[in-house]
DNA sequence: CTGTTAGCGCGTTCAT
DNA sequence: ATGAACGCGCTAACAG
């Protein structure tokens, strides 16, 4: 029934400007600008006239013009591999929340897991003249680093640590986390281990660190390893079957690169009538909400995504109001959560 | 070891402009602008000189200045209740992906579930002069609607349908979905039903529609209903206990407002040794990935989030290049997925 | 094919 | 406490 809900479209009326507001209030454009940015610098009487004029006209400040004039966009660009992955979205959510409280908006984009795509997006983002950039991980193309450096704005790299960040990094050591996992396995009597990993760089790095540390402790290489494109329950189930096809020993400890993969494997194990953790032990990574509720409850590595996002925001904010050096590498740590699956 | 990775900070060097590029290439600033926006209008020779100059200087276009001059920001603002909820982030991801292919970037913000907060954010977003706005749901404050209308840009409301959208809407009927769920329950022989619902407006609307239709069919009101703040496994588990505290009959059909709540209830039922669906039948909403993998597999209502996002993007795009009326209400439908939990 | 001239709507400086 | 003038870096006409 299309009752033309958009009547007032098509009118050629220019958007209202500070000039218009000022005219109505009987003051100049600058005074309107002041009234908005620094009300104390305007007399109470004119302030009132101005706010009235704003209400009357429905004035909405033009942040684009403001940004061009002030060279401050109040925009932070954030690049994450995937926004549907709770692991990244939770960190971005807390980051955004803190930044917003300080008057910044976050322009978020998905990069996928390819540094080349990330590079292209960095260029697009930089053209919006963000006041800072947040990146995921510490691996970027040379050109990306160069553009970022040349842009001369703060950059935070999250989810990892390095001694040589572009500017600031906040995250944790994936190596150490995986090493701890290997030690956990060995200390709990496992003599045989396997890995199931997603294809992204950090997951692969954890896998490698786990395998190398476990081999060191057990005195034998980790023979069984499978990796898949992305973390999903289906890939977790398939992962177990793929491992079994490699003739994995009974009682093997499987280190998965994420809770979702581990959960999928748990489901497949249950479907096969396998006992966890005796027939097979399964460890996840991330400690997502469901991890405590699987059957059996999932042993995993906890990473505090909220803290991660908040720390990144705070690092940026402190950099904004002091050119002084702040901590450029921030380690938020991790924690092994021993439950019943491994 | 801090090898000062940020050497070229602090230099007072102005960012390079089209003017600079032009000077180096021996042409005027406009020609540089043309070379970038419409290479065909520039001779091959000067084009080459310009691209060389761009490489040499590391020029990054200033989209802010471009937007101010052209009155096109190539920015779409998107407001969703929560970005960590896969239900919203998946829709936004596909929306963003399509928009990006067409040269638009998406400025995403979380509104929570309060229309008042949404209103404030709409104002902030409009100040960036987006070329369009995407909103979640069809309930907004009067002032929000008015600002949107006055802004004179396309608006898409997603996740619901209405005969009177602000501009365009794409979603499905929550009423009809819940009615179908009630009919499914009744047709499968259930004579007693209950609901567990999160607190958001659409969830409550589904709950109401389910209860009213089921009561109509069964000839008796739905006695047991619980609702909670947000969807989480813990709230799903608590929800079952709360329902039991209301002395719910054995063999009751519970309609949950989301798969996550349903999953939590499934877990609690299992922990209590209840048989599903005989002791208690549980139905979810959303058909998230895990729904097919719970024990027993979750009966639910499927909503195609990817299609939702893509349709919203396409509706906008078609509106951009034709002021002509397009379909302003788009229904993407839903589907009852009968599995084993109900 | 290329350049000139005008803004876009603000913030910034400097007066008053 | 307020205003005038200028410029941010670019696109949009219009010339030539």
């Amino acid at each position: 029934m299309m009752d033309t809900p958009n009547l007032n479209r098509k009118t050629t009326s220019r958007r209202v400007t500070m000039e218009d507001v000022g005219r109505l209030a009987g003051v100049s454009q600058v005074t309107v600008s002041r009234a908005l940015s620094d009300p104390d610098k305007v007399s109470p009487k004119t302030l009132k006239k101005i706010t009235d004029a704003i209400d009357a006209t429905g004035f909405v400040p033009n942040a684009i013009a403001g940004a061009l004039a002030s060279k401050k966009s109040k925009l932070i660009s954030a690049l994450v591999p995937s926004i549907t992955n709770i692991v990244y979205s939770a960190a971005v959510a807390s980051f955004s929340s803190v930044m917003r409280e300080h008057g910044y908006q976050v322009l978020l984009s998905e990069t996928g897991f390819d540094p080349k795509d990330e590079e292209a997006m960095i260029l697009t983002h930089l053209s919006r003249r963000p006041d800072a950039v947040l990146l995921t991980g510490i691996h970027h193309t040379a050109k990306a680093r160069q553009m970022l450096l040349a842009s001369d704005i703060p950059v935070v790299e999250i989810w990892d640590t390095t001694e040589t960040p572009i500017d600031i990094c906040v995250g944790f050591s994936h190596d150490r986390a995986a090493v701890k996992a290997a030690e956990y396995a060995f200390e709990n009597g496992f003599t045989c281990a396997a890995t199931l990993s997603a294809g992204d760089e950090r997951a692969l790095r954890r896998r490698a660190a786990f395998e190398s540390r476990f081999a060191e402790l057990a005195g034998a290489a980790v023979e069984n390893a499978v990796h898949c494109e992305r973390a999903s329950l289906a890939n977790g189930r398939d992962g177990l079957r793929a491992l079994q096809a490699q003739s994995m020993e009974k009682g093997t400890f499987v280190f998965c690169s994420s809770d979702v993969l581990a959960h999928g494997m748990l489901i497949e194990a249950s479907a096969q009538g396998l006992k966890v953790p005796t027939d097979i032990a399964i460890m996840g990574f991330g400690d997502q909400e469901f991890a405590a509720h699987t059957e059996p409850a999932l042993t995993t590595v906890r990473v505090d995504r909220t803290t991660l996002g908040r720390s990144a925001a705070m690092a940026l904010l402190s950099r904004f109001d002091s050119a002084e050096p702040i901590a450029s590498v921030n380690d938020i740590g991790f924690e092994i959560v021993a439950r019943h699956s491994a």
Side-chain angles (χ1 to χ4, degrees), chain A:
Chain A
M1 48 161 269
M2 283 274 38
D3 58 359
T4 61
N6 32 3
L7 265 180
N8 39 4
R9 314 238 159 220
K10 316 234 121 160
T11 59
T12 319
S13 63
R14 224 177 10 85
R15 306 257 354 213
V16 11
T17 70
M18 285 187 176
E19 191 73 51
D20 300 329
V21 173
R23 196 172 305 126
L24 186 58
V27 297
S28 75
Q29 173 261 319
V30 236
T31 308
V32 178
S33 175
R34 278 202 198 89
L36 257 30
S37 58
D38 207 346
D40 301 328
K41 298 189 130 189
V42 161
S43 85
K45 299 176 59 176
T46 60
L47 183 56
K48 169 106 175 69
K49 285 192 294 185
I50 290 171
T51 51
D52 286 351
I54 287 175
D55 291 344
T57 54
F59 170 67
V60 176
N62 186 329
I64 293 187
L68 183 61
S70 69
K71 293 171 178 292
K72 290 192 192 74
S73 62
K74 286 289 178 177
L75 199 73
I76 310 293
S77 69
L79 265 25
V80 297
S82 159
I83 65 173
T84 51
N85 187 329
I86 182 81
V87 149
Y88 299 111
S89 62
V92 167
S94 77
F95 174 77
S96 300
S97 161
V98 175
M99 293 313 292
R100 178 166 51 244
E101 287 168 12
H102 291 261
Y104 293 88
Q105 278 180 283
V106 175
L107 185 61
L108 181 63
S109 288
E110 274 190 337
T111 57
F113 284 96
D114 182 353
K116 257 300 180 192
D117 293 340
E118 187 195 55
E119 175 189 309
M121 294 198 151
I122 288 175
L123 180 59
T124 313
H125 275 248
L126 287 180
S127 76
R128 301 235 180 235
R129 295 296 186 268
D131 291 338
V133 175
L134 174 140
L135 299 177
T136 304
I138 54 176
H139 282 50
H140 316 286
T141 68
K143 185 163 176 224
R145 293 183 70 100
Q146 170 228 313
M147 292 191 302
L148 258 0
L149 255 3
S151 77
D152 201 35
I153 55 177
V155 174
V156 222
E157 293 165 278
I158 62 172
W159 280 108
D160 214 328
T161 54
T162 171
E163 290 301 317
T164 55
I166 296 177
D167 183 18
I168 303 169
C169 69
V170 14
F172 59 94
S173 166
H174 290 255
D175 267 32
R176 285 214 300 274
V179 162
K180 280 285 186 195
E183 291 169 354
Y184 173 87
F186 187 74
E187 286 162 10
N188 282 275
F190 291 90
T191 54
C192 181
T195 57
L196 169 61
S197 171
D200 68 271
E201 190 268 331
R202 284 178 296 286
L204 293 173
R205 200 140 36 84
R206 290 196 297 271
R207 170 196 149 173
F210 176 90
E211 290 174 358
S212 119
R213 180 60 175 149
F214 191 85
E216 187 176 44
L217 291 167
V222 171
E223 303 279 350
N224 301 294
V226 164
H227 76 102
C228 54
E229 184 67 28
R230 58 181 213 89
S232 71
L233 292 179
N235 283 341
R237 298 190 71 156
D238 291 349
L240 176 51
R241 285 194 295 266
L243 246 20
Q244 289 167 328
Q246 296 180 359
S247 64
M248 180 175 61
E249 272 182 39
K250 181 175 163 174
T252 292
F253 180 105
V254 185
F255 179 60
C256 298
S257 72
S258 79
D259 284 352
V260 170
L261 286 176
H263 189 192
M265 189 170 284
L266 232 32
I267 289 167
E268 178 64 19
S270 161
Q272 293 186 11
L274 262 33
K275 293 255 173 289
V276 177
T278 46
D279 291 340
I280 180 174
I282 299 175
M283 182 170 188
F285 192 94
D287 195 28
Q288 292 187 219
E289 193 205 2
F290 65 79
H293 299 285
T294 55
E295 185 49 43
L298 191 62
T299 289
T300 187
V301 180
R302 176 178 300 154
V303 176
D304 189 333
R305 297 175 281 275
T306 302
T307 295
L308 180 48
R310 188 166 25 77
S311 302
M314 284 164 42
L316 269 189
L317 290 168
S318 87
R319 196 174 203 359
F320 284 151
D321 45 42
S322 78
E324 298 307 300
I326 57 164
S328 52
V329 3
N330 308 71
D331 193 330
I332 63 157
F334 58 84
E335 182 188 349
I336 301 282
V337 181
R339 286 199 273 246
H340 308 299
S341 70

